[in-house]
Amino acid sequence: MKKISIKAPAKLNLGLRITGLREDGFHSLESVFSKITLSDKITVSLDPSVSGISLRCSGIPSPQNNSNLAWKAAQLFMDEAGMENLEGIRITLHKNIPSPGGLGGGSSDAAAVLLALMKLTDIEIDLGPMGEQLGSDVPFFLLPEQAAFVTGRGEILTPVHLPHFHCVLVHSGENVPTPMAFKLWDEHSGDLTEACPISNYTALNFGVWHEGKPFPVKLDNHFLTLLHSRHPGMARTAEELSRLTDSWGLSGSGPTFYTLFRSEAEAKEAEEHLTGKFPWVFRCQSG
Ligand code: C5P
């Protein structure tokens, strides 16, 4: 039985600006996405004893049925590659990435399943359109590079080089569904000031530390501006992190925040300070 084990990394959004509502109902955005070493572990095998798809999950609870993006990715690959009458697909998923968290966990799982199936079957197929169909963040996780400037609805990717960083992730404990966060933008985008000028990224020097950040501009996120007055836990988290460092931000539509550090010692100190104050605190690195 052929089998592949693969890590599905989480991502952070180093700045995020929503630039408009598109005709297809999605939003256009500008952000820098960076993979980090927090990851889910996925094993995919082609198994003649399985009919269709089998998914077993462990770790953070996750659906073991066709509502899981890992399952959807396997189903889409089977359909596109004409595998209906071939072997079944067995997937085991150990979930470490909180979901929903703004960390792209489900999208990363989907991308990992697509990449594993392409290797296992030796079927050469363009995964890009499948990624876009599965979710706006999936194309980024199909990219081999660690970081990218991202525009469009998430599918236009320009790889960028970021210096290595250490990070501490903090979950506010609240539940913020992504569609609801985008709906807030539809209703209140007029309230936002142009606080995240990251569009002129070609002028930026990405490879170096800049005023304590591995990223040359502010880490502002339009979602934070919209959400923090409505979610007291997010407001409290933002306040606590800003007391600790300038180099902090909200990932995606949250509710996971991050702080970035140059050295492991600084990150460890922050981890100690934050542990116990929030439901989930996790230290990792860019990767
Ligand atoms: O693409 P994905 O399935 O991750 O998106 C979840 C929801 O988030 C979409 O249904 C849409 O409401 C919203 N979304 C958006 N614009 C994006 C990404 C997501 O409006 N660029």
Side-chain angles (χ1 to χ4, degrees):
M1 188 172 53
K2 288 210 261 178
K3 186 169 161 177
I4 286 183
S5 287
I6 183 167
K7 279 186 179 169
K11 59 90 175 150
L12 297 180
N13 289 92
L14 305 186
L16 192 156
R17 180 171 171 228
I18 306 163
T19 53
L21 177 61
R22 297 156 41 120
E23 280 183 0
D24 60 7
F26 284 87
H27 295 76
S28 51
L29 41 94
E30 292 173 343
S31 182
V32 169
F33 283 39
S34 170
K35 290 174 193 156
I36 53 175
T37 53
L38 167 66
S39 60
D40 292 338
K41 190 179 169 205
I42 297 191
T43 302
V44 183
S45 51
L46 298 181
D47 187 342
S49 70
V50 170
S51 114
I53 297 163
S54 148
L55 173 64
R56 286 280 159 269
C57 300
S58 55
I60 297 175
S62 182
Q64 302 194 115
N65 54 35
N66 61 5
S67 69
N68 194 309
L69 267 181
W71 179 302
K72 288 184 184 171
Q75 185 64 59
L76 187 60
F77 189 92
M78 268 184 145
D79 296 345
E80 294 292 315
M83 283 176 67
E84 296 88 353
N85 301 317
L86 300 175
E87 296 149 293
I89 298 172
R90 187 186 289 279
I91 304 170
T92 61
L93 165 59
H94 186 80
K95 198 102 195 97
N96 297 312
I97 306 172
S99 180
L103 299 170
S107 303
S108 187
D109 297 342
V113 167
L114 293 180
L115 291 166
L117 283 172
M118 190 155 93
K119 267 198 188 159
L120 283 170
T121 58
D122 285 324
I123 295 174
E124 281 294 323
I125 187 167
D126 183 5
L127 298 179
M130 282 188 251
E132 279 181 45
Q133 198 176 320
L134 287 162
S136 306
D137 291 346
V138 179
F140 170 69
F141 290 107
L142 290 172
L143 202 72
E145 282 85 0
Q146 189 253 321
F149 179 72
V150 178
T151 57
R153 83 172 238 240
E155 80 289 12
I156 305 174
L157 304 162
T158 309
V160 294
H161 174 69
L162 297 178
H164 178 258
F165 60 80
H166 294 264
C167 51
V168 180
L169 313 182
V170 175
H171 195 287
S172 81
E174 287 157 325
N175 187 13
V176 186
T178 306
M180 194 213 77
F182 276 108
K183 198 160 172 285
L184 268 183
W185 187 88
D186 295 342
E187 288 159 6
H188 297 279
S189 60
D191 306 350
L192 296 169
T193 55
E194 283 305 296
C196 321
I198 62 173
S199 53
N200 190 17
Y201 79 103
T202 45
L204 302 174
N205 185 358
F206 270 101
V208 294
W209 282 81
H210 180 91
E211 292 174 6
K213 301 184 199 75
F215 181 62
V217 292
K218 285 175 142 190
L219 298 167
D220 292 326
N221 178 328
H222 272 169
F223 283 123
L224 180 60
T225 317
L226 292 166
L227 291 166
H228 88 290
S229 56
R230 294 165 176 90
H231 293 272
M234 288 177 82
R236 187 174 77 84
T237 313
E239 206 179 292
E240 179 76 35
L241 297 186
S242 57
R243 274 203 291 268
L244 202 64
T245 170
D246 280 347
S247 190
W248 66 273
L250 176 73
S251 194
S253 56
T256 311
F257 290 73
Y258 58 83
T259 54
L260 309 177
F261 300 96
R262 207 163 174 153
S263 75
E264 188 172 22
E266 288 170 292
K268 277 186 173 162
E269 202 180 307
E271 180 189 24
E272 270 169 36
H273 176 79
L274 296 166
T275 299
K277 292 192 164 122
F278 297 96
W280 184 79
V281 175
F282 187 84
R283 182 170 55 81
C284 58
Q285 306 174 31
S286 54

mmCIF file of all heavy atoms in Angstrom, residues 32 62 95 112 152:
data_model
loop_
_atom_site.group_PDB
_atom_site.id
_atom_site.type_symbol
_atom_site.label_atom_id
_atom_site.label_comp_id
_atom_site.label_asym_id
_atom_site.label_seq_id
_atom_site.Cartn_x
_atom_site.Cartn_y
_atom_site.Cartn_z
ATOM 1 N N VAL A 32 0.467 39.801 3.313
ATOM 2 C CA VAL A 32 1.627 38.920 3.207
ATOM 3 C C VAL A 32 1.340 37.694 4.060
ATOM 4 O O VAL A 32 1.007 37.818 5.244
ATOM 5 C CB VAL A 32 2.928 39.627 3.637
ATOM 6 C CG1 VAL A 32 4.067 38.630 3.788
ATOM 7 C CG2 VAL A 32 3.295 40.662 2.584
ATOM 8 N N SER A 62 -12.318 17.522 14.873
ATOM 9 C CA SER A 62 -12.484 17.946 13.487
ATOM 10 C C SER A 62 -13.455 16.950 12.832
ATOM 11 O O SER A 62 -13.395 15.756 13.154
ATOM 12 C CB SER A 62 -11.097 17.876 12.849
ATOM 13 O OG SER A 62 -11.095 18.282 11.544
ATOM 14 N N LYS A 95 -4.887 16.940 14.092
ATOM 15 C CA LYS A 95 -5.128 18.384 14.025
ATOM 16 C C LYS A 95 -4.489 19.104 15.214
ATOM 17 O O LYS A 95 -4.835 18.859 16.373
ATOM 18 C CB LYS A 95 -6.663 18.568 14.045
ATOM 19 C CG LYS A 95 -7.141 19.876 13.589
ATOM 20 C CD LYS A 95 -7.698 19.860 12.171
ATOM 21 C CE LYS A 95 -7.815 21.254 11.642
ATOM 22 N NZ LYS A 95 -6.711 21.706 10.809
ATOM 23 N N ALA A 112 -2.423 19.890 1.347
ATOM 24 C CA ALA A 112 -1.550 18.738 1.629
ATOM 25 C C ALA A 112 -2.125 17.460 1.020
ATOM 26 O O ALA A 112 -1.386 16.631 0.470
ATOM 27 C CB ALA A 112 -1.377 18.584 3.143
ATOM 28 N N GLY A 152 -5.845 39.565 -5.137
ATOM 29 C CA GLY A 152 -7.019 38.889 -5.688
ATOM 30 C C GLY A 152 -7.871 38.429 -4.522
ATOM 31 O O GLY A 152 -7.929 39.078 -3.479
#
